[in-house]
């Protein structure tokens, strides 16, 4: 049996000034009124089916497992005698046409509860600590909450805590508003109490950073972002900070003091005047003084040209390899289905179509029927017609667009051209978009092999270990240079990469530096994989339906003594600290690493991120997000304030960059060393313990950090077992760009029991209208009962696991088959339609995971029989990150010199403890 999982698995550039004026980088000087004007006004289970005539069939119950046996490999489930014996109650099916009732077994594992208070135990709840962090006395030691890691199950219920920011005393803000802090879903820090100097930070071994998600979709963001109704944009005359809830009014409310640099600025006269109603207004009711996140409507000086319409240029691979996959017909259908969903509120959206094989094909759409124009000179690409004929208004040319898409399904079916000139086609698309900016959506199913951008075969690694190779490396420099030119013209590119051996790492360079997205479909074949066709169509529709932001720049300002040290995410960084984003996709995340340059003297520190962008309906806006954190001199307070998910994200970004710029080994070693250093620093600096034989303990807010790092190490991007290069690249792309909730789900998948789920699971919550999910299980094979059925999902795939001893009635009710022998492992486009309560509840759960997702990626369904396809079985079990994998060590973690992705969670903890010298 193949024991290895069968699947997956930058320097910044200075660019010339972009087409759009950037007040974030070089702001316009605010015109302030004379200080002599008159004083203005003061501020004012599986369900029981009731049928007395039907005999009862009961699920067998499983004995309690040994909580310390997780180093047993889950891949031994078939080869070894089961760890527990299951006995089915002999209940014959007297009436097979009717439903039968199942006895719910007792839970195999009770959710861990904190032990009673000990000298070093939990004395307050986790929620109380995090919510009270900001209001605590900065000079008083908080109560300790040490959590022993070794020998205790991970407290995975803490992963469901919502990201929060500390509450700030009302008297510290200008209006006392409870909404002065930005919501944590937009912007949150790795710590909620900031170290006062670099020495304290180094002693803790923690990393400082901000996780930014500035442009969330409406269904994700917790609150609507208020819009400042007028165009009065007030900024500090020295540091250009936007006025916010944390400023203070001075000089009889005629001036305001900047919370970043302390500069006294005049309050503009328009600040107390409502331009809409033309009457005096209460300044203290203005949104920018009450909310931590607001949108300003940008005045004219924030742009040098009118806001541009959304423009989409589709580049399609029409080589022989691409046609053989059946990709073109599926893509054409997906674009047709998206035409009414593409943002086009004001009727200005434009589209164009370019094809690429051994030449570049342009499609003139000015009439009612498309006309194909072919340019074969790949060395000197030019536009064969005026841009207005090649790039047309979607409303005015709707008939021609639909006609072209219908014909595309078959018009290239007889092609035998093996060549593909992707580089030349992209150059043509950029020429079309340069005057306006816009989005290139590229569908590539073969390796580019002619003209500019031809991908060369990577040299043989020889005897080098895979750990000594880069995590992601581009084969040719063309695409990086092309991305730089696109950024100057406000052009973004999204890549859909289909098939095998297309070199994901090379083609991803364009979305990486232009703010786009990459979607990978390995082994795509439309005829053989209908589920992948559905996934491709859903992801294309989802991406084209996004209300994206256009021609954007983003900048973060910090309090004195703090600087932005490094930037992570799909963007181009302009010196010194501006992130250029030709497009801002919904729900994509970015990360900024912070550094302390000098000791902080103030009680609080401030961070303000401003995103200047154009909406899809042509309005120029500035989204301003303000975060305030208390400053601490206590290392205990610092550790207790850690946001472990944000900390894991920042460490993952840093490790990804190290692995991409050098060797995969460097990234893995960095993750391992940082985890050991942080745990060791807590033991030494807080608990006063440095012995390797001591109990490994950390504060509860950090108790899941080792588990999350282990999940990263076991991801296809970082695991040390052989993984196809494209799968490794795909995993690294997801780790870099996913929003926080989806990133957490990818690193630590959700695992649910279906055969004994609670009565309410799979039903809609009347209050939220959301599907109720069962309580998640630990990611361990100990939770798998041979007679049970389980669901595991990581946001990219949904796995339905059916145990080899599943009783016939469960198979019939769930999947519509008479016995486990009729269950077939494989990918399916949808679950069987079975009119039973458990099947309908499962269908609601799957629909919730597929429809109510945060990202454009669409998870497809895999049904896996325990004794079925060994490749799928291995793929499912590889997600159980608490188990030892086949490549893992057989000895205790304390005996290991180097970290291994195959370690079980408890081996990993033993390894950390042994290294905490």
């Amino acid at each position: 049996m193949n024991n290895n999982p069968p699947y997956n698995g930058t320097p910044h550039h200075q660019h010339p000034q972009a087409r759009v004026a950037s007040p974030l980088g070089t702001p316009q000087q605010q015109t302030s009124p004379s200080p002599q004007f008159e004083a203005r006004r003061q501020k004012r289970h599986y369900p029981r089916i009731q049928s007395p005539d039907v005999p009862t069939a009961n699920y067998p119950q499983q004995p309690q497992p040994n909580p310390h046996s997780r180093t047993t490999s889950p891949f031994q489930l078939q080869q070894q005698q089961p760890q527990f014996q299951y006995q089915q109650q002999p209940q014959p099916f007297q009436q097979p046409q009717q439903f039968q009732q199942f006895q719910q077994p007792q839970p195999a594992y009770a959710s861990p509860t904190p032990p009673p208070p000990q000298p070093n135990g939990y004395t307050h709840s986790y929620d109380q600590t995090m919510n009270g962090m900001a209001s605590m006395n900065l000079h008083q030691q908080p109560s300790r909450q040490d959590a022993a890691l070794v020998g205790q199950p991970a407290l995975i219920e803490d992963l469901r805590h919502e990201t929060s920011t500390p509450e700030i005393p009302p008297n510290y803000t200008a209006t006392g508003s409870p909404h002065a802090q930005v919501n944590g879903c937009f912007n949150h820090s790795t710590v909620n109490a900031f170290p006062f100097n670099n020495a304290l930070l180094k002693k803790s071994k923690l990393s400082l950073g901000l996780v930014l998600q500035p442009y969330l979709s409406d269904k994700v963001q917790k609150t609507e972002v208020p819009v400042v109704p007028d165009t009065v944009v007030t900024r500090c005359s020295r540091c250009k900070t936007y006025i916010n809830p944390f400023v203070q009014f001075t000089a009889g409310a005629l001036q305001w003091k900047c919370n970043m640099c302390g500069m006294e600025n005049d309050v503009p006269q328009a600040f107390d005047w409502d331009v809409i109603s033309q009457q005096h207004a209460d300044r203290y009711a203005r949104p920018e003084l009450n909310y931590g996140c607001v949108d300003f409507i940008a005045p004219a000086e924030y742009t040098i040209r009118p806001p541009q319409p959304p423009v989409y240029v589709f580049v399609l691979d029409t080589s022989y390899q691409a046609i053989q996959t059946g990709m073109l017909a599926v893509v054409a259908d997906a674009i047709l289905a998206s035409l009414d969903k593409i943002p086009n509120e004001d009727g200005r959206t434009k589209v164009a179509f370019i094809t690429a094989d051994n030449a570049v094909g342009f499609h003139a759409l000015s009439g009612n029927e498309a006309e194909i124009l072919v340019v074969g000179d790949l060395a000197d690409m030019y536009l064969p017609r005026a841009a207005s004929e090649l790039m047309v208004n979607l409303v005015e040319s709707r008939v021609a667009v639909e006609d072209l898409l219908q014909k595309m399904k078959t018009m290239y079916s007889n092609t035998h051209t093996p060549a593909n000139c992707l580089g030349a086609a992209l150059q043509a698309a950029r020429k079309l978009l340069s005057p306006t900016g816009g989005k290139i959506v590229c569908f590539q199913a073969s390796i580019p092999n002619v003209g500019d951008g031809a991908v060369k075969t990577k040299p043989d690694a020889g005897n080098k270990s895979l750990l000594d190779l880069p995590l992601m490396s581009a084969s040719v420099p063309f695409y990086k240079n092309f991305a730089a030119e696109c950024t100057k013209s406000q052009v973004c590119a999204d890549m859909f990469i289909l098939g095998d051996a297309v070199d994901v790492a090379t083609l991803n360079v364009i979305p990486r530096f232009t703010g786009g997205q990459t979607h990978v479909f390995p082994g795509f074949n439309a005829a053989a994989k209908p589920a992948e066709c559905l996934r491709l169509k859903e992801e294309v529709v989802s991406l084209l339906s996004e209300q994206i932001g256009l021609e954007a720049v983003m900048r973060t300002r910090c309090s004195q003594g703090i600087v932005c040290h490094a930037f992570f995410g799909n963007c181009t960084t302009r010196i010194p600290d501006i992130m250029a984003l030709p497009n801002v996709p919904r729900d994509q995340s970015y990360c900024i690493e912070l550094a302390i340059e000098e000791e902080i003297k103030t009680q609080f520190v401030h961070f303000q991120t401003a995103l200047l962008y154009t909406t899809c309906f042509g309005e120029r806006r500035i989204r301003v997000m303000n975060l305030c954190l208390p400053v601490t001199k206590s290392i205990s307070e610092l550790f207790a304030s850690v946001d472990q998910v944000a900390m894991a994200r920042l460490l993952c970004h840093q490790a990804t960059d190290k692995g991409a710029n050098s060797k995969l080994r460097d990234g893995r070693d960095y993750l391992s060393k940082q985890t050991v250093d942080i745990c060791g620093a807590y033991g030494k600096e807080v608990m006063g313990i440095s012995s390797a034989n001591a109990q490994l303990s950390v504060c509860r807010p950090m108790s899941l950090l080792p588990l999350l790092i282990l999940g990263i190490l076991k991801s296809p991007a970082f695991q040390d077992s052989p993984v196809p290069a494209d799968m490794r690249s795909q995993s690294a792309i997801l780790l870099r760009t996913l929003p926080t909730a989806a990133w957490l789900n990818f690193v630590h998948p959700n695992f649910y029991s279906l055969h004994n789920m609670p009565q309410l699971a799979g039903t809609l919550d009347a209050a939220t209208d959301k599907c109720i999910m069962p309580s998640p299980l630990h990611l361990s094979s100990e939770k798998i009962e041979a007679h049970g059925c389980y669901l595991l999902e990581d946001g990219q795939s949904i796995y339905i696991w059916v145990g080899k001893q599943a009783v016939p009635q469960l198979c019939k009710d769930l999947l519509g088959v008479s016995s486990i022998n009729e269950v077939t492992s494989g990918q399916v486009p949808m679950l069987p339609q079975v009119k039973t309560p458990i099947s309908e509840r499962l269908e609601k759960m799957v629909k919730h995971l597929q429809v109510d997702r945060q990202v454009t990626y669409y998870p497809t369904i895999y049904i896996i029989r325990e004794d079925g396809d060994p490749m799928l079985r291995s793929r499912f079990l590889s997600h159980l990150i608490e188990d030892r994998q086949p490549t893992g060590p057989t000895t205790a973690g304390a005996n290991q010199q180097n970290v291994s992705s195959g370690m079980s969670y408890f081996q990993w903890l033993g390894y950390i403890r042994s290294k905490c010298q």
Side-chain angles (χ1 to χ4, degrees):
M1 182 177 72
N2 183 2
N3 288 330
N4 293 321
Y7 74 112
N8 41 328
T10 19
H12 305 306
H13 298 273
Q14 182 174 8
H15 297 284
Q17 181 66 33
R19 182 177 297 273
V20 178
S22 171
L24 303 179
T26 55
Q28 299 288 336
Q29 181 73 25
Q30 296 291 324
T31 56
S32 302
S34 168
Q36 305 303 324
F37 62 83
E38 296 183 0
R40 287 172 271 145
R41 293 188 304 164
Q42 294 296 322
K43 72 173 177 177
R44 350 147 244 140
H45 338 261
Y46 189 80
R48 298 176 181 272
I49 304 167
Q50 302 300 326
S51 178
D53 299 326
V54 181
T56 301
N58 295 327
Y59 279 141
Q61 297 186 9
Q62 179 181 0
Q64 293 291 335
N66 179 358
H68 304 290
S69 61
R70 293 185 188 171
T71 56
T72 303
S73 171
F75 292 81
Q76 299 173 4
L77 288 174
Q78 282 186 328
Q79 289 79 12
Q80 297 182 354
Q81 188 70 16
Q83 206 170 14
F84 309 109
Q85 298 296 325
Y86 306 91
Q87 296 182 358
Q88 296 189 17
Q89 300 181 13
Q91 296 286 349
F93 298 106
Q94 298 178 4
Q95 301 181 29
Q97 299 298 325
Q98 296 179 335
F99 297 118
Q100 297 190 0
Q101 195 176 33
F102 292 88
Q103 179 73 29
Q104 293 191 25
Q106 294 295 322
Y109 185 85
S111 180
T113 56
Q118 300 293 332
N120 290 330
Y122 304 142
T123 54
H124 294 286
S125 71
Y126 175 81
D127 287 334
Q128 289 173 329
T129 298
M130 299 309 293
N131 293 336
M133 183 59 60
S135 58
M136 66 187 177
N137 187 334
L138 297 180
H139 305 290
Q140 179 181 351
Q141 290 290 340
S143 55
R144 284 262 296 279
Q145 296 190 34
D146 298 334
L149 300 182
V150 178
Q152 301 294 329
L155 301 171
I156 61 172
E157 62 270 20
D158 285 359
L159 292 175
R160 298 193 293 277
H161 287 289
E162 289 189 2
T163 300
S164 61
T165 51
E167 296 180 4
I168 298 301
N171 61 357
Y172 187 70
T173 63
T175 63
S177 170
H179 309 293
Q181 286 276 46
V182 63
N183 193 294
C185 65
F186 291 107
N187 182 1
H188 59 278
S189 172
T190 56
V191 295
N192 278 333
F194 208 82
F196 81 109
N197 65 8
N198 208 36
L200 180 62
L201 176 63
K202 289 183 176 180
K203 187 184 295 185
S204 71
K205 306 298 183 180
L206 297 172
S207 294
L208 296 180
L210 300 176
V211 177
L212 305 174
Q213 298 174 156
Y215 204 51
L216 294 174
S217 53
D218 294 336
K219 65 181 180 181
V220 176
Q221 63 187 38
K222 304 296 186 295
T223 56
E224 185 176 352
V225 178
V227 179
V228 179
D230 53 33
T231 56
V232 178
V233 180
T234 306
R235 303 177 69 180
C236 175
S237 57
R238 176 193 291 165
C239 68
K240 308 308 176 188
T241 294
Y242 293 81
I243 196 168
N244 60 81
F246 300 103
V247 305
Q248 297 295 332
F249 288 101
T250 60
L254 297 179
Q255 294 184 324
W256 61 276
K257 184 177 181 180
C258 177
N259 58 306
M260 290 287 181
C261 69
M263 179 74 175
E264 300 275 355
N265 300 274
D266 289 337
V267 178
Q269 292 181 350
F271 215 59
D272 293 307
W273 181 259
D274 190 333
V275 297
I276 299 174
S277 63
Q278 290 296 305
Q279 60 185 5
H280 286 287
D282 179 6
R283 74 168 63 166
Y284 297 99
R286 292 184 67 91
E288 61 265 48
L289 294 180
N290 287 276
Y291 292 92
C293 180
V294 296
D295 271 359
F296 289 94
I297 297 175
E301 61 265 23
Y302 280 71
T303 180
I304 60 174
R305 68 177 183 184
Q308 300 302 299
V311 184
Y312 298 81
V313 176
F314 298 95
V315 177
L316 300 105
D317 182 0
T318 53
S319 66
Y320 175 76
Q321 295 90 330
I323 299 304
Q324 290 302 108
T325 66
M327 168 271 284
L328 204 57
V330 180
V331 170
D333 273 336
I335 298 175
L336 274 170
S338 305
L339 293 181
D340 290 326
K341 299 180 180 181
I342 292 177
N344 195 18
E345 294 183 13
D346 52 5
R348 300 191 306 150
T349 298
K350 296 181 179 181
V351 296
F353 293 86
I354 294 176
T355 54
D357 41 38
N358 61 348
V360 177
F362 296 85
H363 298 265
L365 300 169
S366 54
N368 290 331
E369 188 173 345
E371 181 183 358
I372 302 178
L373 308 167
V374 178
V375 175
D377 187 356
L378 303 182
D380 185 18
M381 183 51 54
Y382 63 92
L383 301 181
R385 291 275 180 89
S388 59
E389 294 186 45
L390 303 176
M391 189 169 61
V392 297
N393 183 284
L394 180 56
V395 175
E396 297 171 358
S397 302
R398 178 68 176 263
V399 174
V401 170
E402 291 182 350
D403 178 67
L404 173 63
L405 289 170
Q406 291 290 356
K407 290 180 177 179
M408 268 193 178
K409 298 179 185 179
T410 56
M411 65 190 296
Y412 293 96
S413 57
N414 295 324
T415 186
H416 294 284
T417 303
N420 176 266
C421 58
L422 175 62
L426 291 174
Q427 293 280 26
R430 188 181 64 81
K431 287 179 180 290
L432 268 177
L433 288 171
S434 288
T436 61
K439 180 186 284 287
I440 300 172
V441 185
C442 179
F443 299 89
Q444 189 70 17
S446 64
I447 200 83
N449 53 16
V450 294
D452 290 337
V455 174
K456 303 175 183 178
T457 304
K458 292 184 179 179
D460 188 8
N463 296 325
K464 282 188 176 181
S465 164
L466 63 91
L467 295 180
D468 293 324
L469 300 175
L471 174 57
M472 297 175 69
S473 61
S475 302
V476 291
F478 168 82
Y479 296 98
K480 194 169 186 179
N481 298 331
F482 175 77
E485 293 299 317
C486 285
T487 303
K488 297 175 189 177
S489 305
Q490 301 297 334
V491 175
C492 164
D494 297 313
M495 299 294 300
F496 285 81
I497 304 173
L498 305 99
D500 292 319
V502 188
D503 199 344
V504 172
T506 298
L507 298 188
N508 174 66
V509 169
I510 313 175
R512 160 70 180 87
F513 291 105
T514 63
Q517 303 177 60
T518 301
H519 297 249
V520 182
F521 297 78
F524 182 85
N525 188 298
K529 297 183 176 181
E532 287 294 278
C533 293
L534 175 64
R535 180 164 83 94
L536 174 58
K537 182 175 180 180
E538 290 288 341
E539 294 190 8
V540 171
V541 172
S542 181
L543 183 137
L544 295 180
S545 304
E546 277 191 335
Q547 297 280 337
I548 56 175
L550 305 171
E551 44 191 6
V553 287
M554 183 163 62
R555 184 175 187 179
T556 296
R557 293 177 172 85
C558 312
S559 289
Q560 296 183 64
I562 306 171
V563 294
C564 298
H565 180 67
F567 302 84
F568 306 100
N570 280 7
C571 64
T572 293
T573 305
R574 297 181 188 151
I575 303 299
D577 57 359
I578 294 178
M579 302 169 72
L581 300 159
N583 274 189
V584 190
R586 289 288 194 172
D587 304 319
Q588 196 165 114
S589 69
Y590 312 89
C591 194
I592 299 176
E593 182 184 349
L594 303 174
I596 301 176
E597 287 192 329
E598 59 187 56
E599 184 174 316
I600 299 169
K601 307 290 187 180
T602 56
Q603 190 178 13
F604 295 91
V605 291
H606 300 269
F607 305 93
Q608 185 181 87
T609 299
L611 173 71
L612 173 66
Y613 69 103
T614 302
T615 64
C616 286
F617 47 87
E619 189 173 64
R620 197 76 169 146
R621 289 189 175 185
I622 312 160
R623 176 160 294 183
V624 177
M625 297 168 287
N626 298 282
L627 177 65
C628 177
L629 300 177
V631 176
T632 182
K633 295 184 177 181
S634 165
I635 196 167
S636 296
E637 290 178 2
L638 179 59
F639 278 116
S641 75
V642 168
D643 182 322
Q644 55 195 346
V645 176
M647 186 67 66
R649 280 219 77 170
L650 178 56
L651 295 178
C652 180
H653 275 299
Q654 293 168 336
T656 301
D657 266 20
K658 289 182 181 295
N661 296 328
S662 183
K663 304 174 183 177
L664 175 60
R665 185 190 308 277
D666 295 337
R668 290 169 46 82
D669 290 346
Y670 180 79
L671 288 170
S672 171
K673 182 179 183 301
Q674 288 298 109
T675 307
V676 169
D677 287 349
I678 291 172
C679 293
Y682 187 85
K684 177 182 178 181
E685 304 295 341
V686 178
M687 301 182 66
I689 300 173
S690 59
S691 172
N693 297 323
Q695 177 76 350
L696 181 64
S697 297
V698 295
C699 57
R700 182 163 181 178
M702 289 201 315
S703 64
L704 293 175
L705 182 62
L707 180 62
L708 294 176
I709 298 299
L710 180 62
I712 297 170
L713 288 169
K714 289 194 173 188
S715 69
F718 285 98
Q719 65 179 243
D720 48 21
S721 58
V723 173
D726 284 352
M727 296 302 98
R728 194 180 292 276
S729 298
Q730 179 190 15
S731 177
I733 292 167
L734 294 173
L735 289 173
R736 175 190 290 273
T737 60
L738 285 176
T740 297
W743 182 91
L744 177 59
N745 196 16
F746 184 67
V747 170
H748 188 279
N750 289 317
F751 186 32
Y752 306 108
S753 174
L754 300 177
H755 61 284
N756 59 357
M757 57 183 169
Q759 292 284 345
L760 292 178
T763 63
L764 295 180
D765 187 331
T768 62
D769 200 32
K770 299 289 185 181
C771 181
I772 300 173
M773 302 297 287
S775 296
L777 304 175
H778 283 263
L779 292 169
S780 169
S781 57
E782 286 184 354
K783 302 304 175 188
I784 299 179
E785 299 173 347
H787 64 272
C789 181
Y790 301 86
L791 184 152
L792 186 146
E793 62 90 15
D794 64 354
Q796 304 298 307
S797 303
I798 298 172
Y799 304 96
I800 308 295
W801 171 280
V802 185
K804 60 184 177 183
Q805 295 180 15
V807 295
Q809 190 63 32
L810 176 61
C811 298
K812 181 178 180 180
D813 284 359
L814 198 63
L815 301 174
V817 295
S818 59
S819 71
I820 185 63
N821 295 326
E822 296 183 21
V823 176
T824 303
S825 293
Q827 187 182 26
V828 295
M830 62 182 65
L831 290 172
Q833 301 294 310
V834 184
K835 297 298 181 182
T836 60
I838 188 173
S839 180
E840 291 173 351
R841 292 163 68 194
L842 175 59
E843 184 180 6
K844 285 188 176 69
M845 293 164 61
V846 171
K847 183 179 179 181
H848 163 71
L849 295 173
Q850 292 180 325
V851 176
D852 296 333
R853 66 192 193 278
Q854 183 181 359
V855 292
T856 55
Y857 302 102
Y858 181 83
T860 56
I861 306 166
Y862 292 85
I863 295 177
I864 303 175
R865 198 175 85 188
E866 182 179 347
D867 55 355
D869 185 341
M871 298 287 282
L872 280 178
R873 183 177 182 275
S874 171
R875 180 171 177 172
F876 173 87
L877 293 174
S878 68
H879 289 80
L880 302 181
I881 61 176
E882 294 190 26
D883 284 333
R884 184 180 67 83
Q885 303 298 322
T887 57
T890 56
T891 59
N895 299 325
Q896 305 304 313
Q897 293 300 317
N898 298 308
V899 66
S900 166
S901 296
M903 285 182 172
S904 72
Y905 177 54
F906 288 103
Q907 285 178 315
W908 168 235
L909 293 178
Y911 172 85
I912 295 174
R913 183 170 63 175
S914 69
K915 298 296 182 182
C916 290
Q917 300 292 340

